[in-house]
Coordinates of all heavy atoms in Angstrom, one line a residue:
M983 N 0.9 -1.2 0.0 CA 0.0 0.0 0.0 C 0.9 1.2 0.0 O 1.8 1.4 0.8 CB -0.9 0.0 1.3 CG -1.8 1.2 1.4 SD -2.7 1.2 2.9 CE -3.7 -0.3 2.8
P984 N 0.6 2.2 -0.9 CA 1.5 3.4 -0.9 C 1.3 4.2 0.4 O 0.2 4.2 1.0 CB 0.9 4.2 -2.1 CG 0.1 3.2 -2.9 CD -0.3 2.2 -2.0
A985 N 2.3 4.8 0.8 CA 2.3 5.5 2.1 C 1.3 6.7 2.0 O 0.8 7.1 3.1 CB 3.7 6.0 2.5
N986 N 1.1 7.2 0.9 CA 0.2 8.4 0.8 C -1.2 8.1 0.5 O -2.0 8.9 0.3 CB 0.8 9.4 -0.3 CG 0.8 8.8 -1.6 OD1 0.5 7.6 -1.8 ND2 1.1 9.6 -2.7
E987 N -1.5 6.8 0.5 CA -2.9 6.4 0.2 C -3.8 6.7 1.5 O -3.4 6.4 2.6 CB -3.0 4.9 -0.1 CG -4.4 4.5 -0.4 CD -4.4 3.0 -1.0 OE1 -3.5 2.7 -1.8 OE2 -5.3 2.3 -0.6
R988 N -4.9 7.4 1.2 CA -5.7 7.8 2.3 C -6.7 6.6 2.7 O -7.3 6.0 1.9 CB -6.6 9.0 1.9 CG -5.7 10.2 1.6 CD -6.5 11.3 1.0 NE -7.2 12.0 2.1 CZ -8.0 13.1 1.8 NH1 -8.2 13.5 0.6 NH2 -8.6 13.7 2.8
R989 N -6.7 6.3 4.0 CA -7.5 5.3 4.5 C -8.6 5.9 5.4 O -8.4 6.5 6.5 CB -6.7 4.3 5.4 CG -5.8 3.4 4.5 CD -5.0 2.5 5.4 NE -4.0 3.3 6.2 CZ -3.4 2.8 7.3 NH1 -3.7 1.6 7.7 NH2 -2.5 3.5 7.9
F990 N -9.8 5.9 4.8 CA -10.9 6.6 5.5 C -11.6 5.7 6.5 O -11.6 4.5 6.4 CB -12.0 7.1 4.5 CG -11.4 8.1 3.5 CD1 -11.2 7.8 2.2 CD2 -11.1 9.4 4.0 CE1 -10.7 8.7 1.3 CE2 -10.6 10.3 3.1 CZ -10.4 10.0 1.8
W991 N -12.1 6.3 7.6 CA -12.9 5.6 8.6 C -14.3 6.1 8.4 O -14.6 7.3 8.5 CB -12.3 6.0 10.0 CG -12.7 5.0 11.0 CD1 -12.3 3.7 11.1 CD2 -13.5 5.3 12.2 NE1 -12.8 3.2 12.3 CE2 -13.6 4.1 12.9 CE3 -14.2 6.4 12.7 CZ2 -14.3 4.0 14.1 CZ3 -14.9 6.3 13.9 CH2 -14.9 5.1 14.6
I992 N -15.2 5.1 8.1 CA -16.5 5.4 7.6 C -17.6 4.8 8.5 O -17.4 3.6 9.0 CB -16.5 4.8 6.2 CG1 -15.5 5.5 5.3 CG2 -17.9 4.9 5.6 CD1 -15.3 4.9 3.9
C993 N -18.7 5.5 8.6 CA -19.8 4.9 9.4 C -20.5 3.9 8.5 O -20.3 3.8 7.3 CB -20.7 6.0 9.9 SG -21.9 6.6 8.7
E994 N -21.5 3.3 9.0 CA -22.2 2.2 8.2 C -23.0 2.8 7.1 O -23.5 2.1 6.3 CB -23.1 1.3 9.1 CG -24.2 2.1 9.9 CD -24.9 1.2 10.9 OE1 -25.8 0.5 10.5 OE2 -24.4 1.2 12.0
H995 N -23.2 4.1 7.1 CA -23.9 4.8 6.0 C -23.0 5.5 5.0 O -23.4 6.4 4.3 CB -25.0 5.8 6.6 CG -26.1 5.1 7.2 ND1 -26.9 5.7 8.2 CD2 -26.6 3.8 7.1 CE1 -27.8 4.8 8.6 NE2 -27.7 3.7 8.0
A996 N -21.8 5.1 5.0 CA -20.8 5.6 4.1 C -20.5 7.1 4.2 O -20.3 7.8 3.3 CB -21.2 5.3 2.6
H997 N -20.6 7.5 5.5 CA -20.1 8.9 5.8 C -18.7 8.8 6.3 O -18.4 8.0 7.2 CB -21.0 9.6 6.8 CG -22.5 9.6 6.4 ND1 -23.5 9.2 7.3 CD2 -23.0 9.8 5.2 CE1 -24.6 9.3 6.6 NE2 -24.4 9.6 5.4
V998 N -17.8 9.6 5.9 CA -16.4 9.6 6.3 C -16.3 10.4 7.6 O -16.5 11.6 7.7 CB -15.5 10.2 5.2 CG1 -14.0 10.1 5.7 CG2 -15.7 9.5 3.9
M999 N -15.9 9.6 8.7 CA -15.8 10.3 10.0 C -14.4 10.7 10.3 O -14.1 11.5 11.2 CB -16.3 9.3 11.1 CG -17.8 9.0 10.9 SD -18.3 7.5 11.9 CE -18.1 8.2 13.5
G1000 N -13.4 10.1 9.5 CA -12.0 10.5 9.8 C -11.1 9.6 8.9 O -11.6 9.0 8.0
E1001 N -9.9 9.7 9.2 CA -8.9 9.0 8.4 C -8.0 8.2 9.4 O -7.7 8.7 10.5 CB -8.0 9.9 7.6 CG -8.7 10.5 6.4 CD -7.7 11.4 5.6 OE1 -6.6 11.0 5.4 OE2 -8.2 12.5 5.2
I1002 N -7.5 7.1 8.9 CA -6.5 6.3 9.7 C -5.1 6.6 9.2 O -4.8 6.6 8.0 CB -6.8 4.8 9.6 CG1 -8.2 4.5 10.0 CG2 -5.8 4.0 10.3 CD1 -8.7 3.1 9.6
K1003 N -4.3 7.0 10.2 CA -2.9 7.4 9.8 C -2.0 6.6 10.7 O -2.3 6.2 11.8 CB -2.7 8.9 10.1 CG -3.4 9.8 9.2 CD -2.5 10.3 8.1 CE -3.3 11.1 7.1 NZ -3.6 12.4 7.5
S1004 N -0.8 6.3 10.2 CA 0.2 5.6 10.9 C 1.1 6.7 11.5 O 1.6 7.6 10.9 CB 1.1 4.7 10.0 OG 0.3 3.6 9.6
I1005 N 1.3 6.7 12.8 CA 2.1 7.6 13.5 C 3.1 6.8 14.4 O 2.9 5.6 14.6 CB 1.4 8.6 14.4 CG1 0.6 7.8 15.5 CG2 0.4 9.4 13.6 CD1 0.1 8.8 16.6
V1006 N 4.2 7.4 14.8 CA 5.2 6.8 15.6 C 5.1 7.2 17.0 O 5.1 8.4 17.3 CB 6.6 7.1 15.0 CG1 7.7 6.4 15.9 CG2 6.7 6.6 13.6
V1007 N 4.9 6.2 17.9 CA 4.9 6.4 19.3 C 6.0 5.6 20.0 O 6.0 4.4 19.8 CB 3.5 6.0 20.0 CG1 3.6 6.2 21.5 CG2 2.4 6.9 19.3
N1008 N 6.9 6.2 20.6 CA 8.0 5.5 21.2 C 8.8 4.5 20.3 O 9.1 3.4 20.6 CB 7.5 4.6 22.4 CG 7.4 5.4 23.7 OD1 7.9 6.5 23.8 ND2 6.7 4.9 24.6
G1009 N 8.9 5.0 19.1 CA 9.7 4.2 18.1 C 8.9 3.1 17.4 O 9.4 2.4 16.6
R1010 N 7.6 3.0 17.8 CA 6.7 2.0 17.2 C 5.7 2.7 16.3 O 5.2 3.8 16.7 CB 6.0 1.2 18.2 CG 6.8 0.3 19.1 CD 5.9 -0.3 20.2 NE 6.7 -1.0 21.2 CZ 6.7 -2.4 21.2 NH1 6.1 -3.0 20.3 NH2 7.4 -3.0 22.1
T1011 N 5.4 2.1 15.2 CA 4.4 2.7 14.3 C 3.0 2.1 14.7 O 2.8 0.9 14.8 CB 4.7 2.3 12.9 OG1 6.0 2.8 12.5 CG2 3.6 2.9 11.9
V1012 N 2.1 3.0 15.1 CA 0.8 2.6 15.5 C -0.3 3.3 14.6 O 0.0 4.3 14.0 CB 0.5 2.9 17.0 CG1 1.6 2.2 17.9 CG2 0.6 4.4 17.2
R1013 N -1.5 2.8 14.6 CA -2.6 3.4 13.9 C -3.2 4.4 14.8 O -3.4 4.2 16.0 CB -3.6 2.3 13.6 CG -3.1 1.3 12.6 CD -4.3 0.4 12.2 NE -5.1 0.0 13.3 CZ -6.4 -0.2 13.3 NH1 -7.0 -0.1 12.2 NH2 -7.0 -0.6 14.4
A1014 N -3.5 5.6 14.2 CA -4.2 6.6 14.9 C -5.4 7.0 14.1 O -5.3 7.1 12.8 CB -3.3 7.8 15.2
L1015 N -6.5 7.4 14.7 CA -7.6 7.9 14.0 C -7.7 9.4 14.1 O -7.7 10.0 15.1 CB -8.9 7.3 14.7 CG -10.2 7.9 14.1 CD1 -10.4 7.6 12.7 CD2 -11.4 7.3 14.9
M1016 N -7.6 10.0 12.9 CA -7.7 11.5 12.8 C -9.2 11.8 12.6 O -9.7 11.6 11.5 CB -6.9 12.0 11.6 CG -5.5 11.4 11.5 SD -4.4 11.6 13.0 CE -4.0 13.4 12.8
L1017 N -9.8 12.2 13.7 CA -11.3 12.3 13.6 C -11.7 13.7 13.1 O -11.2 14.7 13.6 CB -11.8 12.1 15.1 CG -13.3 11.9 15.2 CD1 -13.8 10.7 14.5 CD2 -13.6 11.8 16.7
Y1018 N -12.5 13.7 12.1 CA -13.0 15.0 11.6 C -14.0 15.7 12.5 O -14.7 15.1 13.2 CB -13.7 14.8 10.2 CG -12.9 14.3 9.1 CD1 -13.5 13.7 8.0 CD2 -11.5 14.3 9.2 CE1 -12.7 13.3 6.9 CE2 -10.7 13.8 8.1 CZ -11.4 13.3 7.0 OH -10.6 12.8 5.9
E1019 N -14.0 17.0 12.4 CA -14.9 17.8 13.2 C -16.4 17.5 12.8 O -17.3 17.5 13.6 CB -14.6 19.3 13.0 CG -15.5 20.2 13.7 CD -15.3 20.2 15.2 OE1 -14.1 20.0 15.6 OE2 -16.3 20.4 16.0
R1020 N -16.6 17.2 11.5 CA -17.9 16.8 11.1 C -17.7 15.7 10.0 O -16.6 15.7 9.3 CB -18.7 18.0 10.5 CG -17.9 18.7 9.4 CD -18.6 19.9 8.9 NE -17.8 20.6 7.9 CZ -17.6 20.2 6.7 NH1 -18.3 19.2 6.2 NH2 -16.8 20.9 5.9
S1021 N -18.6 14.8 9.8 CA -18.5 13.8 8.8 C -18.8 14.4 7.4 O -19.4 15.5 7.3 CB -19.6 12.7 9.0 OG -19.5 12.2 10.3
V1022 N -18.2 13.8 6.4 CA -18.4 14.2 5.0 C -18.9 13.0 4.2 O -18.7 11.8 4.6 CB -17.2 14.8 4.4 CG1 -16.8 16.1 5.1 CG2 -16.0 13.8 4.4
Y1023 N -19.6 13.2 3.1 CA -20.1 12.1 2.3 C -18.9 11.6 1.5 O -18.2 12.3 0.9 CB -21.2 12.6 1.4 CG -22.5 13.0 2.1 CD1 -22.7 14.3 2.5 CD2 -23.4 12.0 2.4 CE1 -23.9 14.6 3.2 CE2 -24.5 12.3 3.1 CZ -24.8 13.6 3.5 OH -25.9 13.9 4.2
F1024 N -18.8 10.2 1.5 CA -17.7 9.6 0.8 C -17.7 9.9 -0.7 O -16.7 10.0 -1.3 CB -17.8 8.0 1.1 CG -16.6 7.3 0.5 CD1 -15.4 7.4 1.1 CD2 -16.8 6.4 -0.6 CE1 -14.3 6.7 0.6 CE2 -15.7 5.7 -1.1 CZ -14.4 5.9 -0.5
N1025 N -18.9 10.0 -1.3 CA -18.9 10.2 -2.7 C -18.9 11.7 -3.1 O -19.1 12.1 -4.2 CB -20.2 9.5 -3.3 CG -21.4 9.9 -2.7 OD1 -21.4 10.7 -1.7 ND2 -22.5 9.3 -3.1
E1026 N -18.8 12.5 -2.0 CA -18.7 14.0 -2.3 C -17.6 14.5 -1.4 O -17.8 15.5 -0.7 CB -20.0 14.7 -1.9 CG -21.2 14.3 -2.8 CD -22.5 14.9 -2.3 OE1 -22.4 15.9 -1.5 OE2 -23.6 14.4 -2.6
L1027 N -16.4 13.9 -1.5 CA -15.3 14.3 -0.6 C -14.9 15.8 -1.0 O -14.7 16.1 -2.1 CB -14.1 13.4 -0.8 CG -14.2 12.0 -0.2 CD1 -13.0 11.2 -0.6 CD2 -14.3 12.1 1.3
P1028 N -14.8 16.6 0.0 CA -14.4 18.0 -0.3 C -12.9 18.0 -0.6 O -12.1 17.1 -0.2 CB -14.6 18.7 1.1 CG -14.6 17.7 2.1 CD -15.1 16.4 1.4
A1029 N -12.5 19.0 -1.3 CA -11.0 19.1 -1.7 C -10.2 19.2 -0.4 O -9.1 18.7 -0.4 CB -10.8 20.3 -2.6
D1030 N -10.7 20.0 0.5 CA -10.0 20.1 1.8 C -10.7 19.3 2.8 O -11.9 19.3 2.9 CB -9.9 21.6 2.2 CG -9.3 22.5 1.2 OD1 -8.2 22.1 0.7 OD2 -9.8 23.5 0.9
I1031 N -9.9 18.6 3.6 CA -10.5 17.8 4.7 C -11.1 18.7 5.8 O -10.5 19.8 5.9 CB -9.6 16.7 5.3 CG1 -8.5 17.4 6.1 CG2 -9.0 15.8 4.2 CD1 -7.7 16.5 7.0
P1032 N -12.1 18.3 6.4 CA -12.7 19.1 7.5 C -11.6 19.3 8.6 O -10.6 18.6 8.7 CB -13.9 18.4 8.0 CG -14.2 17.4 6.9 CD -12.9 17.1 6.3
E1033 N -11.9 20.3 9.5 CA -11.1 20.5 10.7 C -11.1 19.2 11.5 O -12.1 18.5 11.5 CB -11.7 21.6 11.5 CG -11.6 23.0 10.9 CD -10.2 23.6 11.0 OE1 -9.7 23.6 12.1 OE2 -9.7 24.1 10.0
L1034 N -10.0 19.0 12.2 CA -9.9 17.8 13.0 C -10.5 18.0 14.3 O -10.2 19.0 15.0 CB -8.4 17.3 13.1 CG -7.8 16.8 11.8 CD1 -6.3 16.4 12.1 CD2 -8.5 15.6 11.3
R1035 N -11.3 17.0 14.8 CA -11.9 17.1 16.1 C -10.8 16.6 17.1 O -10.8 17.0 18.3 CB -13.1 16.2 16.2 CG -14.0 16.5 17.3 CD -15.1 15.4 17.4 NE -15.7 15.0 16.2 CZ -16.7 14.0 16.1 NH1 -17.1 13.4 17.2 NH2 -17.2 13.7 14.9
G1036 N -10.0 15.7 16.7 CA -8.9 15.2 17.5 C -8.3 14.0 17.0 O -8.7 13.5 15.9
K1037 N -7.2 13.6 17.6 CA -6.5 12.4 17.2 C -6.6 11.4 18.3 O -6.4 11.6 19.4 CB -5.0 12.8 17.1 CG -4.1 11.7 16.7 CD -2.7 12.2 16.4 CE -2.0 12.7 17.7 NZ -0.7 13.2 17.4
V1038 N -7.1 10.2 17.8 CA -7.4 9.1 18.8 C -6.3 8.1 18.6 O -6.2 7.5 17.5 CB -8.8 8.5 18.6 CG1 -9.1 7.5 19.6 CG2 -9.9 9.6 18.6
I1039 N -5.6 7.8 19.6 CA -4.5 6.8 19.6 C -5.0 5.5 20.3 O -5.0 4.4 19.8 CB -3.2 7.3 20.1 CG1 -2.7 8.5 19.3 CG2 -2.2 6.1 20.1 CD1 -1.4 9.1 19.9
G1040 N -5.6 5.7 21.5 CA -6.1 4.6 22.2 C -7.5 4.3 21.7 O -8.0 4.9 20.8
S1041 N -8.2 3.4 22.4 CA -9.6 3.1 22.0 C -10.6 4.2 22.4 O -10.4 4.9 23.4 CB -10.0 1.8 22.6 OG -9.2 0.7 22.2
M1042 N -11.6 4.3 21.6 CA -12.7 5.3 22.0 C -14.0 4.7 21.6 O -14.2 4.2 20.5 CB -12.5 6.6 21.3 CG -13.5 7.7 21.7 SD -13.3 9.3 20.9 CE -12.1 10.0 21.9
D1043 N -15.0 4.7 22.6 CA -16.3 4.1 22.3 C -17.2 5.1 21.8 O -17.2 6.3 22.1 CB -16.9 3.5 23.6 CG -16.1 2.3 24.2 OD1 -15.4 1.7 23.4 OD2 -16.2 2.1 25.4
A1044 N -18.1 4.6 20.9 CA -19.3 5.4 20.5 C -18.9 6.7 19.9 O -19.4 7.8 20.4 CB -20.3 5.5 21.6
I1045 N -18.1 6.8 18.9 CA -17.8 8.0 18.2 C -19.0 8.2 17.3 O -19.4 7.3 16.5 CB -16.5 7.9 17.4 CG1 -15.4 7.6 18.4 CG2 -16.3 9.2 16.6 CD1 -14.0 7.3 17.8
R1046 N -19.6 9.4 17.4 CA -20.9 9.6 16.6 C -20.6 10.3 15.3 O -19.9 11.3 15.2 CB -21.8 10.5 17.5 CG -23.2 10.7 16.9 CD -24.1 11.4 17.9 NE -24.2 10.7 19.2 CZ -25.0 9.7 19.4 NH1 -25.8 9.3 18.5 NH2 -25.1 9.1 20.6
C1047 N -21.3 9.7 14.3 CA -21.3 10.4 13.0 C -22.1 11.6 13.0 O -23.3 11.6 13.5 CB -21.8 9.4 11.9 SG -22.0 10.2 10.3
T1048 N -21.6 12.8 12.6 CA -22.4 14.0 12.7 C -23.4 14.1 11.6 O -24.3 15.0 11.7 CB -21.4 15.2 12.6 OG1 -20.8 15.2 11.3 CG2 -20.4 15.2 13.7
I1049 N -23.5 13.2 10.6 CA -24.5 13.3 9.6 C -25.7 12.4 10.0 O -26.8 12.9 10.0 CB -24.0 12.8 8.2 CG1 -22.9 13.8 7.7 CG2 -25.1 12.7 7.2 CD1 -22.2 13.4 6.4
C1050 N -25.5 11.2 10.3 CA -26.6 10.2 10.6 C -26.7 9.9 12.1 O -27.8 9.3 12.4 CB -26.4 9.0 9.7 SG -25.0 7.9 10.2
G1051 N -25.8 10.2 12.9 CA -25.9 10.0 14.3 C -25.6 8.6 14.7 O -25.6 8.2 15.9
R1052 N -25.2 7.7 13.8 CA -24.8 6.4 14.2 C -23.4 6.4 14.9 O -22.6 7.4 14.7 CB -24.6 5.5 12.9 CG -25.9 5.2 12.2 CD -26.8 4.3 13.0 NE -28.0 4.0 12.3 CZ -28.4 2.8 12.0 NH1 -27.7 1.8 12.3 NH2 -29.6 2.6 11.3
T1053 N -23.2 5.5 15.7 CA -21.9 5.5 16.5 C -21.1 4.3 16.1 O -21.6 3.2 15.6 CB -22.1 5.4 18.0 OG1 -22.9 4.3 18.3 CG2 -22.9 6.7 18.5
R1054 N -19.8 4.4 16.2 CA -18.9 3.4 15.9 C -17.7 3.4 16.9 O -17.3 4.5 17.3 CB -18.3 3.6 14.5 CG -17.5 2.4 14.0 CD -17.1 2.6 12.5 NE -16.1 1.5 12.2 CZ -15.3 1.5 11.1 NH1 -15.4 2.4 10.2 NH2 -14.5 0.5 11.0
D1055 N -17.2 2.3 17.3 CA -16.1 2.2 18.2 C -14.8 2.2 17.5 O -14.7 1.5 16.5 CB -16.2 1.0 19.1 CG -17.5 1.0 20.0 OD1 -18.0 2.1 20.2 OD2 -17.8 -0.1 20.5
W1056 N -13.8 2.9 18.0 CA -12.5 2.8 17.5 C -11.7 1.9 18.5 O -11.6 2.2 19.7 CB -11.8 4.2 17.4 CG -10.4 4.2 17.2 CD1 -9.4 4.4 18.1 CD2 -9.7 3.9 15.9 NE1 -8.1 4.4 17.5 CE2 -8.3 4.0 16.2 CE3 -10.1 3.6 14.7 CZ2 -7.3 3.8 15.2 CZ3 -9.2 3.4 13.7 CH2 -7.8 3.5 13.9
I1057 N -11.2 0.8 17.9 CA -10.5 -0.2 18.8 C -9.0 -0.1 18.4 O -8.6 -0.3 17.2 CB -11.0 -1.6 18.5 CG1 -12.5 -1.6 18.6 CG2 -10.4 -2.6 19.5 CD1 -13.1 -1.4 20.0
I1058 N -8.2 0.1 19.4 CA -6.8 0.2 19.1 C -6.2 -1.2 18.9 O -6.7 -2.2 19.4 CB -6.0 0.8 20.3 CG1 -4.6 1.1 19.9 CG2 -6.1 -0.1 21.5 CD1 -3.9 2.0 20.9
G1059 N -5.3 -1.3 18.0 CA -4.7 -2.6 17.7 C -3.7 -3.0 18.8 O -3.3 -2.2 19.6
E1060 N -3.3 -4.3 18.7 CA -2.3 -4.8 19.7 C -1.0 -4.0 19.6 O -0.4 -3.7 20.6 CB -2.0 -6.3 19.4 CG -1.1 -6.9 20.4 CD -1.7 -7.1 21.8 OE1 -2.9 -7.0 21.9 OE2 -0.9 -7.2 22.7
D1061 N -0.6 -3.6 18.4 CA 0.6 -2.8 18.3 C 0.5 -1.5 19.0 O 1.4 -1.1 19.7 CB 0.9 -2.6 16.8 CG -0.2 -1.9 16.0 OD1 -1.3 -1.9 16.6 OD2 0.0 -1.4 14.9
G1062 N -0.6 -0.8 18.9 CA -0.8 0.4 19.5 C -0.8 0.3 21.0 O -0.3 1.1 21.8
M1063 N -1.5 -0.8 21.5 CA -1.5 -1.0 23.0 C -0.1 -1.2 23.5 O 0.2 -0.6 24.6 CB -2.4 -2.2 23.3 CG -2.7 -2.4 24.7 SD -3.6 -1.0 25.4 CE -5.2 -1.2 24.6
Q1064 N 0.7 -1.9 22.9 CA 2.1 -2.2 23.3 C 2.8 -0.8 23.4 O 3.6 -0.6 24.3 CB 2.8 -3.1 22.4 CG 2.3 -4.6 22.5 CD 2.6 -5.2 23.8 OE1 3.5 -4.8 24.5 NE2 1.8 -6.2 24.2
A1065 N 2.6 0.0 22.4 CA 3.3 1.3 22.3 C 2.9 2.2 23.5 O 3.7 2.8 24.1 CB 3.1 1.9 21.0
L1066 N 1.6 2.2 23.8 CA 1.1 3.0 24.8 C 1.6 2.5 26.2 O 2.0 3.3 27.1 CB -0.4 3.1 24.8 CG -1.1 3.8 23.7 CD1 -2.6 3.8 23.8 CD2 -0.6 5.2 23.6
L1067 N 1.6 1.2 26.4 CA 2.1 0.6 27.6 C 3.5 1.0 27.8 O 3.9 1.3 29.0 CB 1.8 -0.9 27.6 CG 0.4 -1.3 27.8 CD1 0.3 -2.8 27.7 CD2 -0.2 -0.9 29.1
S1068 N 4.3 0.9 26.8 CA 5.7 1.2 27.0 C 6.0 2.7 27.3 O 7.0 3.0 27.8 CB 6.5 0.8 25.7 OG 6.1 1.5 24.6
R1069 N 5.0 3.5 26.9 CA 5.1 4.9 27.2 C 4.9 5.3 28.7 O 5.6 6.1 29.2 CB 4.1 5.7 26.3 CG 4.3 7.2 26.5 CD 3.6 8.0 25.5 NE 2.1 7.8 25.5 CZ 1.3 8.5 24.7 NH1 1.7 9.3 23.8 NH2 0.0 8.2 24.8
V1070 N 4.0 4.5 29.3 CA 3.7 4.9 30.7 C 4.5 4.1 31.7 O 4.5 4.4 32.9 CB 2.2 4.6 31.0 CG1 1.3 5.5 30.2 CG2 1.8 3.2 30.8
S1071 N 5.2 3.1 31.3 CA 5.9 2.2 32.2 C 7.3 2.8 32.4 O 7.8 3.7 31.7 CB 6.0 0.8 31.7 OG 6.6 0.7 30.5
Ligands
ZN76 ZN1 -23.1 8.5 9.2

């Protein structure tokens, strides 16, 4: 997969809630969710991405789509958990 390929995080109604990016934490590459301030339609992607609501590295429950109100959980992968644990220990 090319490094610059955008990986969207989408609700079940095909609204883009954010993007998945690889970031480095403590020398490990982990997945982070770059959460948009508001959802956008996947088939009408704006040229500029919306403002970011925040960056989620750990898990977060019930992130709400601002278009349809559906929620989705962001689950951190094992790699990310290891990186976070090594940061606090
Ligand atoms: Zn939605």
Side-chain angles (χ1 to χ4, degrees):
M983 179 186 296
N986 62 352
E987 184 170 317
R988 298 171 79 180
R989 288 179 294 163
F990 294 109
W991 200 64
I992 295 170
C993 85
E994 62 188 272
H995 289 155
H997 306 135
V998 181
M999 297 165 68
E1001 288 181 44
I1002 300 167
K1003 292 261 169 78
S1004 292
I1005 63 168
V1006 176
V1007 177
N1008 277 345
R1010 293 171 187 260
T1011 302
V1012 300
R1013 294 186 316 149
L1015 172 62
M1016 315 302 285
L1017 193 62
Y1018 294 166
E1019 182 67 34
R1020 56 183 175 79
S1021 304
V1022 294
Y1023 290 93
F1024 185 69
N1025 54 3
E1026 299 173 17
L1027 285 176
D1030 301 314
I1031 68 167
E1033 293 282 309
L1034 290 179
R1035 201 190 312 179
K1037 179 174 65 182
V1038 183
I1039 299 175
S1041 300
M1042 182 181 275
D1043 292 338
I1045 300 171
R1046 188 174 299 278
C1047 173
T1048 61
I1049 294 176
C1050 68
R1052 294 292 180 119
T1053 58
R1054 190 178 169 189
D1055 295 342
W1056 169 255
I1057 311 291
I1058 192 171
E1060 183 68 21
D1061 55 342
M1063 190 60 72
Q1064 291 292 335
L1066 290 180
L1067 288 175
S1068 64
R1069 182 165 64 179
V1070 296
S1071 60

